[in-house]
Amino acid sequence: MNLFNRVVPSRRQAQLPPQRPAGAPASSTAVLPDPNLADLSGDWVVDPAHSRIGFSVRHAMVTTVRGCFLEYESRLYFDAYDPTRSRADITLFTASVDTGVEQRDAHLVGRDFLDAATYPRMRFTSTGVQQTGADLFSMSGELTIKGVSRPVVLDMTYIGNVTDPFGYDRVGFDGTTTINRSDWGLTYNSRLAEGGAMVSEKVRLQLDIAAIRTPPAGG
């Protein structure tokens, strides 16, 4: 069940148009993806039960293997009036990788790839955000894998927001980028008889994010 299809604003949200809070910067170019996003500025965390931080990679030149990380920690901040001030910090536990095949997962967490015993965490920390369309954002950041940090850019799409039956504010974003795994020292490979690589160098990272608002400190 997808809670993040575009939703009709709640009666509470529809009563009044959003007002810029005192001191919020005006922008002649920024366009809010949804009028109700004005209510969403604040701190959020990724909800693991309704999110997926995954990847896909071409295998043996003819098929695609997909996997994800089951355990992670997150800190998100969204600024509706000035999206450039938004930020994200996500730490993934490398031993939690899951592709649905136990033997393959054991290989991925071993020294040939993620080396989870030596590098138990990988991390993405944003360094900047640009709004590129009504519901599109470009998030720059540093991705750290096996102690190597390199810049990446995530293409983010705002999906929608809703207050669920339990009273939690939820918001959805999708994100994607493609990296070359050898840039982070993930160079293991074997060659096929036809001359191609068993595992592609290119890895597509895919984030299907459902985030829940966190209460203010002391709240």
Side-chain angles (χ1 to χ4, degrees):
M1 178 178 180
N2 183 0
L3 294 177
F4 294 97
N5 291 329
R6 293 194 179 278
V7 296
V8 177
S10 68
R11 190 172 301 163
R12 175 184 62 84
Q13 293 173 322
Q15 287 175 347
L16 295 173
Q19 301 294 320
R20 181 180 299 115
S27 173
S28 59
T29 58
V31 179
L32 292 180
D34 184 308
N36 298 296
L37 267 186
D39 295 333
L40 300 181
S41 291
D43 295 309
W44 300 76
V45 294
V46 177
D47 175 13
H50 298 94
S51 302
R52 184 178 184 275
I53 299 181
F55 59 89
S56 60
V57 61
R58 187 75 69 185
H59 180 263
M61 299 176 63
V62 296
T63 190
T64 299
V65 170
R66 293 176 172 84
C68 63
F69 293 91
L70 301 178
E71 298 179 18
Y72 45 84
E73 297 174 346
S74 63
R75 292 184 298 173
L76 313 176
Y77 175 76
F78 181 68
D79 189 321
Y81 291 100
D82 186 0
T84 63
R85 298 179 60 187
S86 301
R87 54 189 181 271
D89 190 342
I90 301 176
T91 298
L92 310 175
F93 294 90
T94 51
S96 73
V97 67
D98 179 20
T99 65
V101 177
E102 186 175 348
Q103 184 177 2
R104 181 166 57 212
D105 295 345
H107 192 194
L108 287 175
V109 301
R111 296 184 64 182
D112 286 340
F113 286 100
L114 295 172
D115 193 3
T118 306
Y119 303 98
R121 297 173 179 83
M122 54 188 291
R123 183 180 184 184
F124 172 80
T125 303
S126 66
T127 55
V129 178
Q130 291 184 331
Q131 187 169 353
T132 58
D135 56 0
L136 302 176
F137 299 85
S138 178
M139 176 174 282
S140 304
E142 291 285 332
L143 177 63
T144 301
I145 307 175
K146 296 181 71 172
V148 177
S149 297
R150 297 183 64 89
V152 297
V153 178
L154 291 172
D155 294 322
M156 306 291 296
T157 302
Y158 165 70
I159 303 302
N161 69 88
V162 68
T163 300
D164 69 21
F166 302 99
Y168 291 105
D169 292 331
R170 293 175 173 270
V171 65
F173 285 88
D174 287 346
T176 184
T177 191
T178 299
I179 66 172
N180 189 320
R181 61 185 175 90
S182 62
D183 290 342
W184 283 266
L186 306 176
T187 56
Y188 175 86
N189 219 333
S190 56
R191 310 300 296 181
L192 299 172
E194 293 78 6
M198 179 66 74
V199 182
S200 173
E201 292 290 311
K202 292 184 179 180
V203 180
R204 187 182 182 199
L205 306 181
Q206 300 155 309
L207 291 78
D208 303 312
I209 299 298
I212 301 175
R213 187 193 297 275
T214 60

